[in-house]
């Protein structure tokens, strides 16, 4: 029995080995984890900015061209597989659009993942806006708010509270989806796992480690969002009564 | 103060307002009654352009509401409106509900706006509830806060769209008391309501509307309630039904 655990322990020792350039596999793993988090975080920022904007534009009544543009955006970015979109950014847009060739791969990967996710967030924003009673909009206009002020002070603050649960899923998805970035040589966790497995043949340990790091990251995101949900809770109001009044 | 000239409105092919003309002078209290679907709520919402009209003219204090070039937010900030379902902003405290439009629309300083808002809250008898959120108040209290919110903007007229219809019977009185107080101070008011007691007590004129959005009667309170036999058959039928119990 003792010998078995000794063996398990020994199998993980490769983490402290030098991979050949003064960097241990453990240090490489941490750096790869950092890339995963960085890609996910930057993509989430892009996804939120464009998702909120596009989702809001889709709900503007009486602006046919704007809402057609927003609807087109959503369909474009959610009808094409994420891996295909990633390749298009790398091999089509960077070739055909002037000046894009000098843009770092990290930025292109974040654009691909961010725009892909923005289509999903836009739909959640739209659903949240449409879930609000129309009376709120009327009341905002009645006190003299412009359309912009109505969204800024009345509609969107309530929308965010409604859509925190699906937004949590989206933030966790973006962490998991960042793994496709290995396909364009971003040195993130999957990239680390594949190369390390080739160099050390420690497939079991390497993929177990990557799995645990993904799970931990997603769990942290989940807890942060749960904290925000509690912080933003409106006294005397639950989501059930918010829609029903 | 307010003049509607031959106002007509359609939803698609359904006519909801049919050649409505109303004049309200400064200091007058006008009650609008009629069966469901007669267009009472639509009529009152056309005054601050929450409902657009297709034909006719609406003038408030010399400003043309029907004119596309009119600055609607500015106009609406001078017209107070109270809704059937209160429509306080649920994510803001009572105090912030009273302040936000004063600051963002009228450009008042925050302390100045707070002073004015709390004066109005005091007057509707809810100064102790200033730190609460709308969801923590009863329906009657919420409606009184909504009246205070409208009054904080120093409106030239107050519009009430069935202000007591969504209230428990016990809470109707506290809201009507506030409205009676306003009327006795000379506030110009247009009130859509089924509260005939209120109409009898404080109104100057009563307008009766029937299905199809037509104004059947526009007469003084004394005539409306005094000589029922002089009323049109449809009005008599309506009055007999609602005054029966």
């Amino acid at each position: 029995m003792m010998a078995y655990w000794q063996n398990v322990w020994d199998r993980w020792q490769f983490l402290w080995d030098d991979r050949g350039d003064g960097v241990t596999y453990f240090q490489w793993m941490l750096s790869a984890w950092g890339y995963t988090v960085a890609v996910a975080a930057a993509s989430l920022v892009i996804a939120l900015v464009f998702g909120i904007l596009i989702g809001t534009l889709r709900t503007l009544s009486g602006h046919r061209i704007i809402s057609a543009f927003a609807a087109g955006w959503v369909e474009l970015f959610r009808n094409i597989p994420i891996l295909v979109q990633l390749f298009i950014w790398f091999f089509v847009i960077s070739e055909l659009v002037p000046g894009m060739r000098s843009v770092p791969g990290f930025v292109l990967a974040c654009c691909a993942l961010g725009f892909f996710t923005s289509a999903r967030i836009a739909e959640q924003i739209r659903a949240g806006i449409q879930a609000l009673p129309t009376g709120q909009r009327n009341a905002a206009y009645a006190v003299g708010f412009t359309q912009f002020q109505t969204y800024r002070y009345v509609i969107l603050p309530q929308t965010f509270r409604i859509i925190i649960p699906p937004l949590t899923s989206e933030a966790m998805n973006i962490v998991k989806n960042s793994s496709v970035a290995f396909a364009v040589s971003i040195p993130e966790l999957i990239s680390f796992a594949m190369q390390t497995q080739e160099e050390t043949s420690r497939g079991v340990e390497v993929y177990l480690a990557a799995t645990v790091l993904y799970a931990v990251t997603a769990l942290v995101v989940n807890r942060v969002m749960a904290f925000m949900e509690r912080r933003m809770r409106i006294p005397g109001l639950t989501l059930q009564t918010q829609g029903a009044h | 103060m307010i003049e509607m000239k031959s106002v007509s409105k359609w939803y698609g092919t359904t006519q909801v307002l049919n050649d409505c003309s109303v004049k309200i002078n400064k200091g007058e209290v006008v009650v609008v009654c009629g069966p469901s679907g007669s267009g009472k709520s639509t009529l009152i919402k056309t005054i601050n352009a929450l409902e657009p009209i297709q034909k006719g003219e609406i003038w408030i204090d010399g400003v043309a509401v029907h004119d596309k070039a009119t600055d609607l937010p500015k106009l609406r900030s001078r017209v107070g409106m109270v809704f059937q379902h209160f429509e306080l902003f649920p994510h803001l405290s009572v105090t912030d509900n009273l302040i936000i439009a004063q600051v963002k629309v009228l450009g008042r300083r925050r302390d100045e706006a707070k002073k004015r808002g709390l004066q109005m809250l005091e007057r509707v008898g809810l100064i102790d509830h200033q730190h609460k959120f709308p969801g923590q108040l009863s329906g009657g209290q919420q409606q009184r806060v909504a009246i205070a919110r409208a009054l904080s903007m120093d409106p030239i007229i107050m519009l009430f769209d069935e202000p007591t219809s969504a209230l428990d019977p016990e809470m109707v009185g506290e809201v009507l008391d506030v409205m009676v107080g306003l009327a006795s101070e000379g506030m110009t008011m247009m009130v859509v309501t089924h509260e005939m007691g209120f109409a009898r007590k404080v109104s100057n004129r009563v307008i009766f509307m029937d299905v199809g959005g037509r104004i059947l009667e526009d007469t003084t309170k004394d005539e409306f309630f005094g000589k029922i036999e002089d009323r049109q058959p449809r009005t008599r039928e309506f009055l007999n039904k609602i005054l029966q119990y």
Side-chain angles (χ1 to χ4, degrees):
Chain A
M1 198 60 195
M2 226 13 227
Y4 174 79
W5 290 112
Q6 185 63 49
N7 186 33
V8 169
W9 177 254
D10 288 345
R11 284 184 68 92
W12 285 89
Q13 295 311 306
F14 77 95
L15 281 176
W16 317 112
D17 291 349
D18 189 330
R19 67 177 184 184
D21 57 357
V23 176
T24 65
Y25 286 105
F26 183 73
Q27 286 169 325
W28 186 8
M29 182 175 77
L30 290 187
S31 139
W33 189 21
Y35 266 99
T36 289
V37 171
V39 168
S43 304
L44 186 61
V45 170
I46 294 174
L48 282 173
V49 169
F50 285 93
I52 293 165
L53 187 69
I54 297 294
T56 304
L57 291 182
R58 272 200 95 172
T59 63
L60 296 185
S61 56
H63 298 80
R64 198 164 293 177
I65 295 168
I66 291 177
S67 54
F69 165 77
W73 178 287
V74 169
E75 294 313 326
L76 177 67
F77 287 108
R78 76 173 173 183
N79 290 0
I80 303 170
I82 173 65
L83 195 56
V84 177
Q85 292 193 32
L86 191 65
F87 286 151
I88 287 176
W89 280 92
F90 269 75
F91 302 117
V92 180
I93 296 177
S94 69
E95 288 296 319
L96 296 183
V97 180
M100 285 298 276
R101 205 172 299 204
S102 57
V103 174
F106 179 85
V107 174
L108 291 178
C110 293
C111 284
L113 195 54
F115 283 15
F116 172 78
T117 310
S118 78
R120 303 170 52 92
I121 290 180
E123 284 298 87
Q124 289 157 12
I125 293 275
R126 180 167 76 100
I129 290 173
Q130 289 173 348
L132 290 175
T134 50
Q136 283 289 304
R137 199 179 285 256
N138 276 343
Y141 286 137
V143 294
F145 282 153
T146 61
Q147 180 160 270
F148 178 80
Q149 289 175 320
T150 297
Y151 274 89
R152 166 70 184 79
Y153 299 117
V154 179
I155 308 279
L156 288 178
Q158 296 185 60
T159 300
F160 286 124
R161 289 171 170 89
I162 293 176
I163 68 164
I164 280 191
L167 218 47
T168 303
S169 303
E170 226 45 71
M172 293 167 75
N173 272 343
I174 221 165
V175 171
K176 294 177 278 180
N177 287 342
S178 71
S179 59
V180 297
F182 90 90
V184 287
S185 308
I186 305 294
E188 47 68 73
L189 269 176
I190 290 300
S191 184
F192 152 81
M194 291 176 75
Q195 288 182 46
T196 304
Q197 194 274 331
E198 269 174 33
E199 291 171 18
T200 65
S201 303
R202 295 279 191 233
V204 174
E205 289 76 13
V206 161
Y207 281 103
L208 271 180
T211 305
V212 168
L213 289 181
Y214 274 116
V216 167
T217 313
L219 185 70
V220 169
V221 170
N222 177 293
R223 291 295 88 202
V224 168
M225 292 297 281
F227 171 74
M228 280 176 58
E229 189 170 356
R230 276 199 306 280
R231 277 292 302 273
M232 289 168 69
R233 190 166 289 160
I234 302 166
L237 197 77
T238 59
L239 285 174
Q240 286 84 355
T241 58
Q242 187 165 24
H245 85 144
Chain B
M1 176 73 72
I2 290 187
E3 188 160 15
M4 310 178 82
K5 294 180 190 163
S6 302
V7 169
S8 291
K9 177 182 174 66
W10 290 262
Y11 286 126
T13 54
T14 315
Q15 188 157 17
V16 286
L17 292 178
N18 188 345
D19 202 24
C20 296
S21 297
V22 177
K23 205 173 164 198
I24 299 176
N25 298 313
K26 194 165 161 44
E28 264 190 323
V29 177
V30 175
V31 163
V32 183
C33 61
S36 308
S38 60
K40 320 179 286 289
S41 284
T42 309
L43 182 79
I44 200 169
K45 284 188 181 124
T46 61
I47 292 176
N48 59 356
L50 290 180
E51 294 280 359
I53 59 170
Q54 278 86 44
K55 248 177 81 180
E57 293 181 7
I58 300 175
W59 296 84
I60 299 180
D61 205 23
V63 180
V65 181
H66 55 279
D67 188 344
K68 295 259 185 295
T70 299
D71 181 356
L72 285 181
K74 190 173 174 208
L75 178 84
R76 286 168 178 151
S77 71
R78 303 175 64 204
V79 177
M81 184 147 200
V82 175
F83 297 87
Q84 184 176 1
H85 295 290
F86 331 131
E87 305 301 352
L88 292 173
F89 305 132
H91 57 297
L92 300 178
S93 70
V94 166
T95 308
D96 285 334
N97 264 281
L98 298 168
I99 290 175
I100 188 163
Q102 292 188 67
V103 173
K104 304 294 178 190
V105 179
L106 301 182
R108 290 181 181 162
R109 286 203 327 274
R110 204 184 148 79
D111 53 342
E112 189 189 347
K114 186 168 178 183
K115 196 169 152 226
R116 182 72 184 143
L118 293 183
Q119 263 173 16
M120 291 301 117
L121 196 61
E122 174 98 65
R123 118 164 244 177
V124 299
L126 292 172
I127 194 73
D128 295 341
H129 299 273
Q130 56 178 296
H131 299 300
K132 289 190 179 167
F133 280 74
Q136 297 169 312
L137 302 178
S138 72
Q141 290 171 332
Q142 287 188 55
Q143 195 61 298
R144 283 147 68 197
V145 173
I147 294 173
R149 174 176 70 180
L151 291 175
S152 304
M153 302 289 284
D154 299 312
I156 55 173
I157 179 170
M158 287 285 285
L159 307 175
F160 294 83
D161 183 11
E162 303 207 32
T164 57
S165 302
L167 295 176
D168 284 346
E170 281 185 287
M171 296 170 181
V172 170
E174 62 189 73
V175 172
L176 289 180
D177 284 345
V178 172
M179 291 167 61
V180 169
L182 275 180
S184 66
E185 283 167 33
M187 174 63 81
T188 312
M189 293 162 65
M190 183 170 185
V191 186
V192 173
T193 186
H194 297 295
E195 299 292 337
M196 287 303 125
F198 173 81
R200 251 195 200 137
K201 192 163 171 187
V202 297
S203 78
N204 301 101
R205 282 198 352 257
V206 180
I207 289 173
F208 179 78
M209 292 182 74
D210 196 13
V211 179
R214 278 189 328 131
I215 293 180
L216 280 194
E217 311 251 9
D218 181 352
T219 131
T220 64
K221 162 184 73 176
D222 293 335
E223 253 185 57
F224 192 81
F225 292 110
K227 297 187 244 160
I228 265 193
E229 61 280 5
D230 289 352
R231 305 272 62 79
Q232 304 216 13
R234 183 67 190 95
T235 317
R236 275 211 303 268
E237 190 190 344
F238 179 81
L239 281 178
N240 284 334
K241 272 183 196 153
I242 68 165
L243 297 177
Q244 196 169 1
Y245 293 101

